[in-house]
Amino acid sequence: MAVKYELIKESTECKARLGKLHTPHGVIETPIFMPVGTRATVKTMTPEELKGLGAQIILSNTYHLYLRPGHELIKEAGGLHKFMNWDKPILTDSGGFQVFSLGDLRKITEEGVEFRSHIDGSRHFISPEKSIEIQNALGSDIIMAFDECAPYPSDRDYVKHSLERTTRWAKRCKEAHRNPETQALFGIVQGGMYRDLREQSAKEIMDLDFPGYAIGGLSVGEPKELMYEVLDYTVPLLPKNKPRYLMGVGSPDCLFEGVIRGIDMFDCVLPTRIARNGTVMTSQGKVVIRNAKYARDFGKLDPECDCYTCRNYSRAYIRHLFNVNEILGARLTTIHNLYFLLKLMENIRLAIKEDRLLQYKEEFFKKYGYIK
């Protein structure tokens, strides 16, 4: 198998767990947050900087790389690792979420999805087989099955039809997969906000015996409490000896709540996206650095942080960079936000090891402002 999960420790106070995910490009300590490098780059960051921040694995996007520069070109370059000069593990999503997000620009059939490019309006078609072909060419360590992500809210009949199609597509993905020795294909559990449909999807996807499982269709606009409820009854359905991946989640509160429920892997564009808009995560909560009150604030972004940005630059300087549209401002805030979340996950792993995760969560939530 291309990827093997090793369970190191289960928490005595909740369902959190420590593990190691062995991949062709290195071992990943879990639970882990994966920075998103949509177009073969984590925006504003070099691979060397990402390693310095503690990134163990990054995620890239099948849909975007298919459109530009094209998977054949990346294969010709020696695969995605060589193309972007990243020698650690890579996970690629299937492109399904992006295609389904196109709304009126796409048409779903049993064969796949016909869509118009968001770039130039050109027509394209991605089927389960095509998604796997693209990801095989990219050469990522973990690839995802092509699934249908039902929007929120959706009625029960639509969600049931959608999850059953996801199962049929998952079978086709497995049959189309050409590199199982070097690339692990993960299945995706759907089912919306309906418990019995989540149970149905989990059983159908697990019957296909994938080396890892993702929970899809969450963090799509539903209240967080509803997402936690779905996780409460979905995660226990998944096998203990394989990794569990919650797709598209990256806020500190959701990372804690996911880990507590037994999730091993997370990804989200949140830290890099808000960084480029001038918002940073700190131990005392979010800071919008563009605000006028920071014009003469010569302290660092976060008094408790020792990232490159916080060691060298003041809030006043970073605010100035944003005010004059200097690229360095976005780079500095991105460095900080990624470091903040990667360090948070490191601290969460330590807290699990020492059986004090719930205490650490409460302390963090109070300082961050989640608990008033």
Side-chain angles (χ1 to χ4, degrees):
M1 292 174 65
V3 164
K4 182 182 178 184
Y5 177 76
E6 177 186 359
L7 178 61
I8 304 297
K9 173 185 169 64
E10 293 181 284
S11 170
T12 60
E13 55 181 2
C14 61
K15 294 176 181 175
R17 58 197 208 152
L18 284 178
K20 289 185 177 180
L21 195 57
H22 299 263
T23 82
H25 286 87
V27 179
I28 303 161
E29 295 184 350
T30 63
I32 188 65
F33 174 78
M34 302 180 283
V36 176
T38 302
R39 299 178 177 90
T41 176
V42 176
K43 285 184 171 57
T44 79
M45 295 287 97
T46 67
E48 292 75 21
E49 288 169 330
L50 287 170
K51 290 177 190 176
L53 296 175
Q56 301 182 58
I57 175 174
I58 61 172
L59 180 147
S60 280
N61 183 269
T62 296
Y63 166 82
H64 288 284
L65 294 178
Y66 160 72
L67 290 177
R68 291 185 302 190
H71 57 292
E72 288 100 347
L73 185 149
I74 293 175
K75 184 177 183 180
E76 187 182 331
L80 191 54
H81 290 88
K82 277 193 175 179
F83 188 57
M84 66 181 294
N85 190 33
W86 174 259
D87 58 6
K88 287 180 174 288
I90 297 175
L91 182 150
T92 48
D93 59 18
S94 69
F97 181 79
Q98 285 70 32
V99 168
F100 293 113
S101 299
L102 292 172
D104 293 339
L105 294 176
R106 53 96 171 125
K107 178 184 177 183
I108 308 169
T109 67
E110 185 62 28
E111 280 307 300
V113 184
E114 182 183 311
F115 64 96
R116 288 184 178 273
S117 165
H118 72 287
I119 301 165
D120 59 10
S122 56
R123 288 184 178 275
H124 299 271
F125 181 79
I126 292 185
S127 62
E129 292 81 7
K130 186 67 175 181
S131 174
I132 298 301
E133 176 196 324
I134 296 166
Q135 294 182 83
N136 282 167
L138 296 177
S140 42
D141 301 79
I142 299 170
I143 67 177
M144 302 303 298
F146 192 65
D147 63 324
E148 181 176 350
C149 183
Y152 175 83
S154 291
D155 66 62
R156 179 186 166 80
D157 286 345
Y158 180 90
V159 174
K160 183 174 173 59
H161 180 77
S162 171
L163 84 84
E164 290 170 350
R165 175 178 281 156
T166 288
T167 299
R168 293 191 296 273
W169 283 1
K171 291 177 183 174
R172 288 167 57 186
C173 285
K174 193 167 183 180
E175 289 168 2
H177 186 24
R178 295 290 173 263
N179 307 322
E181 303 84 9
T182 56
Q183 295 180 286
L185 172 62
F186 281 20
I188 303 176
V189 175
Q190 290 289 350
M193 310 302 155
Y194 303 93
R195 181 168 186 163
D196 62 324
L197 297 185
R198 284 283 174 183
E199 291 171 350
Q200 177 185 340
S201 181
K203 182 182 185 307
E204 291 176 359
I205 295 299
M206 286 188 341
D207 282 348
L208 296 173
D209 193 26
F210 290 102
Y213 297 94
I215 299 175
L218 293 178
S219 192
V220 290
E222 78 282 2
K224 288 182 179 179
E225 293 72 22
L226 184 53
M227 177 175 75
Y228 302 152
E229 181 186 327
V230 174
L231 290 176
D232 281 333
Y233 58 69
T234 303
V235 177
L237 302 173
L238 304 178
K240 280 190 174 184
N241 64 338
K242 294 181 179 180
R244 306 158 176 168
Y245 167 26
L246 177 56
M247 307 178 79
V249 165
S251 62
D253 55 339
C254 291
L255 293 176
F256 269 104
E257 298 294 350
V259 167
I260 284 168
R261 288 162 173 81
I263 296 295
D264 306 303
M265 303 166 67
F266 305 84
D267 82 280
C268 195
V269 297
L270 177 74
T272 48
R273 178 173 289 168
I274 66 172
R276 297 193 303 278
N277 293 323
T279 298
V280 292
M281 304 173 184
T282 79
S283 56
Q284 281 82 41
K286 283 185 182 178
V287 168
V288 181
I289 202 63
R290 293 175 180 273
N291 289 352
K293 65 180 179 179
Y294 301 117
R296 287 180 169 79
D297 186 338
F298 303 111
K300 55 186 186 178
L301 287 177
D302 183 349
E304 297 184 16
C305 182
D306 62 352
C307 76
Y308 170 80
T309 301
C310 289
R311 290 198 314 269
N312 293 285
Y313 302 100
S314 69
R315 292 179 172 187
Y317 177 65
I318 296 169
R319 178 181 182 273
H320 157 70
L321 293 176
F322 273 95
N323 274 0
V324 295
N325 294 317
E326 284 289 346
I327 294 171
L328 181 59
R331 275 181 43 73
L332 294 178
T333 51
T334 299
I335 287 169
H336 170 81
N337 276 356
L338 288 176
Y339 180 88
F340 181 86
L341 281 192
L342 292 168
K343 189 70 175 178
L344 174 63
M345 297 307 291
E346 182 184 320
N347 290 336
I348 284 175
R349 291 193 295 271
L350 180 60
I352 297 170
K353 182 179 180 182
E354 298 175 351
D355 286 314
R356 54 175 182 84
L357 179 60
L358 298 184
Q359 175 191 339
Y360 176 50
K361 173 197 161 185
E362 185 174 357
E363 292 168 355
F364 180 92
F365 274 35
K366 282 181 179 176
K367 287 178 69 176
Y368 200 83
Y370 289 133
I371 300 177
K372 302 299 182 186

